[in-house]
Structures are given as structure tokens and as C-alpha cells.
Amino acid sequence: MTSLNDLLTLSLEDHTEEIIAEYIWIGGSGTDLRSKARTLPKPVSDPKLLPKWNYDGSSTGQAPGADSEVILYPQAIFRDPFRRGNNILVICDAYTPAGVPIPTNKRAAAAEIFATKEVAEEETWYGLEQEYTLLQKDVKWPLGWPVGGYPGPQGPYYCGTGADKAWGRDIVNAHYKACLYAGIQISGINGEVMPGQWEFQVGPSKGIAAADQLWAARYILERITEIAGVVLSLDPKPIEGDWNGAGCHTNYSTKSMRQEGGFEVIKKAIEKLGLRHKEHIASYGEGNERRLTGRHETADMNTFSWGVANRGASVRVGRDTEKDGKGYFEDRRPSSNMDPYVVCGMIAYTTLLWKPEATK
């Protein structure tokens, strides 16, 4: 007798050239992900060859009911780890019928920054460290924690092993392999300081592709937790008290930083970040004030600081970068729910395009 799983795993390639494309976009909250699927006549590998599509923006908080049509523009393609075969995931951004980016479309502004001559020539690289928390579905309490109670204090959980330390590893490993299958440049995973919290890293990836890949990785993680019956939280401080929050540390370098003498370029870039600290903090994620307190490996959000190997600073420079005189730096301020289009674009803008004298 045919089972539901038999039908879900049907291979299409032997019977039709048609494929399924899952169009993915960011919803009205700026952090929620939406998607729907369509049939295409044959395999596609270039997003420019994909048709635009539309959706009801009044049902996602992105358009009024009287004029609800929002247009999806395909921007990046990934292999679909759920349907497999020639089927694809498509990262899209959203526009009005007149071709104007809607307010929640942060990709369009980032694309303009990355298209400038100054930024393109510097070949910006990003490494994004996405922390997240797995929650029990019915009680919205961290996975593995006693309902209404707490595990032992932090200490044994970071990169820990064992049934009393690591909760959710199957989800984490399934996500890791699914991202590799999809073509995402996922570079690693680890358990985090708070139990039930994990991290994956995307990169190093170039320019806006890093942000496309992080959104695709988030989508895949949402789908896997859906299958597992677990809730994914990107809240920057899911549990109050003496527990670490969740961030999305953003590692960054330019061609000049990676060349001889790059450490001086890094220091000048960090100085510019400090001058625009308030603007960056305002754009680095909702609820970040609950996380950036100066405790639990964070800097206080009201002050800017940087240091070598200092995980309590706003920006950290690694020992190898200091020793080699070139490399990259880590902006530790972005929260786990940050929009990578905003953060990656803003770091590039501040370090490469912004002129401090223009504000005097």
C-alpha cells in the first residue's frame, strides 16, 4: 500500500521535465518567511530566467486590501533539499506593480550599495554567525529544559556532548547537511552557551550573496523544525536572567584589509563604525537592548568599543589578524533576528562609502 512518504519522495525526473520552484520572501514583520510553489516547464539555474510572480500582500501585512498585489522578483536559486531532484528554492524580493521596492524589501537598497564601484572593487567578504534557540512547541520553552523550570547553570553546554548537555542535535545536523545540499556556503555548526541554543555559520561569502544565503539557510531551518515539531526562535534574549542571548556576529573584510598593511585599513574602518554606532545599533535587530547589556559576552549598547580577542567589545579583531597585519574583524553587535541585507549593506556603506567630513 502506498504511504504518504512514498508520494512525498516520488522522483519526477523519470517522468517529466517539469520542476517545482518554491518562491520564498520576507513577510510583513521583516523577520517572518513566506513561500509558495509553482510548476516550471524545465530546470532553471539562472534567476534572471525565472518568471516574476505575485501574492496577496494584504494577508502578509505588506499591502492594503484594496490594492493587495505584490510582485516577487527572483534573485537567487538554491537546490531544494526537501523535494530534491531538479527542484529549486528561490529567494525573492518584493515590489509594487509599478516596480518600487515595498518597505520591507531591504534587499533592493543593499543591492545598490554593493553595485557601487567603490564597494564592488573591494570584494567584500562576510561570515555570518547565526545563533538561534529551539523551543518546545506547546510551551515555548527551550528544548530539553524542564517545563517551567531551569537546567543547571551555564558552563557545560557550549560545544558540549551528552544527553544532559546537547538538545536538538539531530535538527542541527539535518540542517547542516540540507544547507550543503542546497549550495549554501555553510561553514560550521556548534552548540551555544545556553542549552537549547545553537549556531551555524555562513561564509565567507561575497557581497549580497552572503545575505541571500543566510535567508535561505533560515528558511531551511524553519522547514526542518516544522517537520520536527519544534519552534525556531531568533529572539535575541529568549530567556531573561543569567543566560546568554543570541546574536548574529558579522565577520567582514575587504580586499584592502586582506592585503599587506590591511590592519591599518581595519582600524580606520572600525573608527568609522564607532562614529556611526547609534545608526548601526538602531538597524541591528529588534530587542537587542535586552541582549547588549555589557554582560554575557556583549558590550553595552550605549558605548562603542573594540579590541583584540575581546568578546566583551562591540567589535573584535582576532589574534591572527593582529599578528599577520591583515585579515578581518567581527562586528558583535547584530542580534540573531537582524536582517542580513541591512547589516551587510550598512557595514559596507559605513566603511567604504561614508565620509565623516560630510557630517561636520
Side-chain angles (χ1 to χ4, degrees):
M1 183 176 177
T2 300
S3 69
L4 184 60
N5 189 63
D6 290 333
L7 296 172
L8 286 170
T9 56
L10 274 176
S11 175
L12 301 178
E13 286 73 34
D14 295 337
H15 307 283
T16 179
E17 195 179 4
E18 292 177 315
I19 67 163
I20 301 171
E22 190 80 25
Y23 278 44
I24 303 161
W25 70 96
I26 299 163
S29 71
T31 57
D32 61 311
L33 284 162
R34 309 291 179 119
S35 74
K36 61 178 183 173
R38 67 182 298 169
T39 305
L40 298 177
K42 61 182 180 179
V44 181
S45 59
D46 183 349
K48 295 184 178 66
L49 300 178
L50 288 169
K52 295 174 184 175
W53 206 6
N54 64 73
Y55 67 92
D56 172 16
S58 69
S59 295
T60 62
Q62 294 172 294
D67 186 14
S68 64
E69 190 167 287
V70 180
I71 313 301
L72 293 171
Y73 287 35
Q75 300 291 357
I77 291 175
F78 300 92
R79 291 184 291 272
D80 186 340
F82 303 103
R83 296 189 177 102
R84 305 184 191 180
N86 292 320
N87 304 301
I88 56 176
L89 304 178
V90 184
I91 295 294
C92 305
D93 57 356
Y95 295 78
T96 69
V100 178
I102 65 172
T104 51
N105 177 359
K106 306 303 182 184
R107 190 186 192 281
E112 290 183 2
I113 291 170
F114 287 111
T116 61
K117 182 174 181 290
E118 297 92 332
V119 175
E121 288 180 347
E122 280 291 342
E123 298 178 7
T124 54
W125 290 3
Y126 295 89
L128 305 174
E129 304 175 24
Q130 177 69 71
E131 295 176 341
Y132 60 94
T133 308
L134 299 174
L135 304 179
Q136 301 169 58
K137 181 181 177 182
D138 295 328
V139 294
K140 303 294 175 65
W141 198 241
L143 195 66
W145 290 34
V147 177
Y150 298 87
Q154 296 183 153
Y157 309 109
Y158 173 70
C159 297
T161 57
D164 58 344
K165 304 179 191 71
W167 301 313
R169 190 184 296 277
D170 283 352
I171 292 170
V172 175
N173 282 330
H175 176 250
Y176 195 176
K177 294 184 76 172
C179 285
L180 287 170
Y181 178 93
I184 293 167
Q185 292 171 289
I186 185 170
S187 50
I189 57 168
N190 61 267
E192 268 303 329
V193 177
M194 189 185 87
Q197 189 180 93
W198 295 82
E199 174 184 303
F200 66 88
Q201 303 93 35
V202 169
S205 304
K206 185 177 176 182
I208 203 166
D212 288 334
Q213 291 186 39
L214 186 64
W215 276 116
R218 285 176 174 178
Y219 174 80
I220 291 171
L221 185 55
E222 285 272 20
R223 288 282 304 276
I224 291 172
T225 54
E226 174 188 320
I227 293 167
V230 171
V231 174
L232 169 65
S233 172
L234 296 183
D235 189 298
K237 186 70 174 178
I239 304 296
E240 295 299 324
D242 195 17
W243 304 97
N244 274 34
C248 192
H249 301 155
T250 301
N251 299 276
Y252 171 77
S253 72
T254 64
K255 182 192 291 185
S256 297
M257 294 176 189
R258 298 187 295 268
Q259 294 174 344
E260 294 302 321
F263 194 30
E264 291 304 313
V265 180
I266 288 172
K267 288 191 284 187
K268 290 177 183 177
I270 293 173
E271 180 182 357
K272 293 173 78 173
L273 289 176
L275 293 173
R276 299 194 75 222
H277 177 62
K278 289 183 178 179
E279 291 87 343
H280 280 253
I281 287 292
S283 301
Y284 273 16
E286 294 295 323
N288 216 7
E289 71 281 353
R290 293 182 285 117
R291 168 180 162 262
L292 296 181
T293 61
R295 300 182 64 215
H296 303 112
E297 301 182 60
T298 71
D300 187 290
M301 71 180 298
N302 296 307
T303 58
F304 180 84
S305 60
W306 77 276
V308 175
N310 184 358
R311 283 180 161 78
S314 307
V315 173
R316 180 184 69 90
V317 174
R319 290 285 184 201
D320 285 345
T321 294
E322 179 187 45
K323 178 183 175 182
D324 297 341
K326 59 184 178 181
Y328 68 97
F329 65 79
E330 174 192 48
D331 191 338
R332 298 178 59 81
R333 297 171 295 172
S335 71
S336 51
N337 60 12
M338 65 81 150
D339 187 330
Y341 294 129
V342 174
V343 171
C344 293
M346 197 170 196
I347 292 174
Y349 173 80
T350 296
T351 59
L352 296 172
L353 299 176
W354 183 66
K355 307 296 183 186
E357 58 270 18
T359 65
K360 295 180 181 179

